[in-house]
Amino acid sequence: MADPRAVPVIAIDGPSASGKGTIAQRVAASLGFHYLDSGAIYRVAALAARRAGADLRDGEAVANLARRLPLAFAGERVFLAGDDVTDEIRSEAMSAAASVVAALPPVREALLERQRAFRESPGLVADGRDMASVVFPDAVLKVFLTASAEVRAERRYKQLMGKGLSVSLAAILQDLRTRDDRDTRRAVAPLRALTPEAVLDSEGRTIEEVVAIVLDRYRRALQ
Ligand code: CDP
């Protein structure tokens, strides 16, 4: 097998609202690496299934759509068949739908190569649930970013309020717990830290501090 350091991958996994996206993007920018938001791919797959009127629990039907998903990223925007779906895929309804289709093994299989194709020189920072365990098992650095459900719910609450959406903190907490539960209990690629050393608790730390820790771990991993 080729040297994993030739095109190094930093895998950042963790539960919803753990800050994976923000941290991964900043780490990528700081190293000049590419960035993969694997959750966005599951979200677009769920949206495509919904638009096609497919049953979200029908693994084969959703996998068929996922295999030929007309998906494109352009900077921060995400497109489905040429349609800008960036905001639509972030709705709470699509978050729940993504977590449902992501539990189907044929769907995960159908999206595997598409995710691996993001690995391009000079390197990749990939964020998701199974970046370290399944998609990039040879990642040079594996980070499991977490924080308590309460802290994560509070962050998501502030984010949504900032967008002018009226939401209840209790409902967000409940929704996070449901998704955590589904993501951790599913049979394929469940959400979990591979090793205790991978865990990085973001509670009580600023974004800058967490980014600095990831970059420091990466430098050590390269030694
Ligand atoms: O931003 P948030 O963490 O809430 O969600 P996301 O990373 O966009 O992922 C949306 C959903 O896709 C999650 O609830 C997971 O069920 C699923 N997912 C997954 O199963 N595997 C991944 N690598 C990424 C996301």
Side-chain angles (χ1 to χ4, degrees), residues 16 20 38-39 43 99 102 108 129-131 179 183 186:
S16 296
K20 296 178 309 262
S38 62
R43 289 170 183 271
S99 147
R108 303 199 72 86
R129 301 290 191 287
D130 61 342
M131 297 298 101
R179 279 210 284 153
D183 290 349
R186 69 183 177 215

Side-chain angles (χ1 to χ4, degrees), residues 27-38:
V27 170
S30 146
L31 294 169
F33 280 13
H34 299 278
Y35 165 61
L36 165 62
D37 175 0
S38 62

Side-chain angles (χ1 to χ4, degrees), residues 5-12 22-36 120-126 139-143 210-222:
R5 294 174 189 220
V7 183
V9 175
I10 298 178
I12 303 186
T22 308
I23 302 298
Q25 285 178 67
R26 296 215 188 179
V27 170
S30 146
L31 294 169
F33 280 13
H34 299 278
Y35 165 61
L36 165 62
E120 278 192 273
S121 187
L124 176 70
V125 183
V140 169
L141 176 66
K142 300 178 176 186
V143 174
V210 177
V211 169
I213 294 171
V214 175
L215 289 172
D216 185 56
R217 286 189 188 183
Y218 179 61
R219 280 183 208 108
R220 285 168 200 262
L222 286 180

